Amino acid sequence: MKKTCFNCAYYCFELCNPQNPEMHFHNWCEKWQTFVPDMEIAGQYDYREDVFNTDLETGDAVCFLFKPVKTPLYDDAWFENNKQKNLSNRVEDTDTH
């Protein structure tokens, strides 16, 4: 199992405030008590197509506080497939010359 947020027991897709449902956080980590930045790696590149996979979807969002869930949300092949899609979608230096 890939040690990434989607497979971590601390990860929460959306944390809602019961007192104020308008206030909510996406990609929340219960251990860090903050949202997970999901574009730290993927966001560094330019892509041919506007749609690309986030660090959460490629499995690049890893953490040393990872705690595995009992049943992984996605298998390793799903993450790897998304990562390969990003790599093939990236604008290379040769594309701009």
Side-chain angles (χ1 to χ4, degrees):
M1 173 194 325
K2 194 156 185 79
K3 295 180 178 180
T4 186
C5 293
F6 279 174
N7 289 333
C8 183
Y10 299 126
Y11 178 77
C12 178
F13 278 101
E14 184 176 310
L15 179 69
C16 294
N17 181 341
Q19 308 332 332
N20 180 7
E22 296 290 319
M23 185 177 156
H24 62 279
F25 300 95
H26 295 279
N27 302 323
W28 182 261
C29 177
E30 292 177 3
K31 189 68 170 181
W32 286 105
Q33 290 293 298
T34 191
F35 72 94
V36 177
D38 63 349
M39 298 298 281
E40 296 300 310
I41 296 173
Q44 295 180 34
Y45 302 98
D46 293 322
Y47 297 92
R48 291 183 195 92
E49 298 175 18
D50 290 338
V51 178
F52 58 93
N53 295 290
T54 67
D55 297 354
L56 296 172
E57 296 165 323
T58 61
D60 289 325
V62 296
C63 175
F64 69 92
L65 296 175
F66 175 82
K67 178 181 175 185
V69 292
K70 290 181 182 166
T71 305
L73 186 59
Y74 299 106
D75 62 17
D76 291 355
W78 184 82
F79 293 108
E80 188 57 34
N81 184 45
N82 290 339
K83 189 171 195 161
Q84 290 307 314
K85 285 180 185 176
N86 275 9
L87 289 172
S88 64
N89 187 23
R90 271 183 23 198
V91 173
E92 304 281 332
D93 287 339
T94 55
D95 293 345
T96 59
H97 298 287

